[in-house]
Amino acid sequence: MSSSSVQVMDIVVHCLDATQLKQKGLQETFPAICRFNMVSYDNHSRRIAVGARNGYLALYDQKTAKCQMIAAHSAPVMAVAFSPDGRHLATYSYQENKLLFWQMAAGLFGIMSGSSVKCIRSHDTRPARAGSNTSLNSLLKGVRLVWITQKNVIVLTGDGSSCRSSVCSRAVAS
C-alpha cells in the first residue's frame, strides 16, 4: 500500500458491511486488502490495524466506528499483526529495525482512560539485507509477522531471515 494506506482504509472501512465483517472476518469480506502485510484484523475486538509510511498506526474500531491514530514508529510500518487472542498487536518497521508489542485494552477501562492501546515492549531486530538475487522492493514486500503462540511472533523478511520475539522476553535472530 502506498503512503495513503490510511486514507484508502478509511474508504474501505466505510464501505464494509459490519454484520458481514463480524460473521466472516476481513479475509472473506475484503480479501484484496488482506494481501497487504500492514493490515490486520482481529475478529475478537472487531478492530482493524493499518500501518502507515509516516510511522503511524491507525486502529479502526468497528464497534464504535472510530479511528485512533498512534505514533508507533519513526519510519514506515511494514507489517502489523494481532495475536491470536487479540490481546496484543505487533508492529514492525524495517527502516528502524524495530518490532513493537502493543497491549490492546478491552472493556470499560480502556474506554474510560481515553487510550485503548499501550506499547509494552520494543525489540531491536537484525537488519534485513538485499542480496544479489533480491531487490530491496521484493525484500520489503516479503516482510510479515506470524504469531506462533499467544505471546510469540516471528518476523519473516524477504531475504529468508527471521527473528523470533516474545511479548515477555528478548528477540532472537535466526
Side-chain angles (χ1 to χ4, degrees), residues 9 12-31 33-34 40-48 60-63:
M9 199 61 195
V12 169
V13 167
H14 291 303
C15 294
L16 291 173
D17 178 353
T19 304
Q20 192 175 32
L21 184 63
K22 183 178 180 180
Q23 292 172 349
K24 296 183 177 183
L26 190 62
Q27 180 63 41
E28 283 188 53
T29 306
F30 205 113
I33 205 76
C34 294
S40 183
Y41 176 70
D42 176 47
N43 204 35
H44 301 291
S45 66
R46 294 180 43 211
R47 287 184 179 146
I48 300 171
Y60 296 90
D61 189 329
Q62 294 297 294
K63 293 177 186 174

Side-chain angles (χ1 to χ4, degrees), residues 96-109:
E96 279 186 324
N97 296 310
K98 193 165 292 225
L99 175 69
L100 300 179
F101 286 102
W102 303 84
Q103 185 173 20
M104 308 302 293
L108 185 60
F109 294 111

Side-chain angles (χ1 to χ4, degrees), residues 91-125:
T91 62
Y92 174 72
S93 174
Y94 163 79
Q95 288 179 0
E96 279 186 324
N97 296 310
K98 193 165 292 225
L99 175 69
L100 300 179
F101 286 102
W102 303 84
Q103 185 173 20
M104 308 302 293
L108 185 60
F109 294 111
I111 295 167
M112 287 174 55
S113 69
S115 176
S116 59
V117 182
K118 179 173 116 180
C119 185
I120 57 170
R121 185 157 314 272
S122 173
H123 292 291
D124 292 328
T125 60

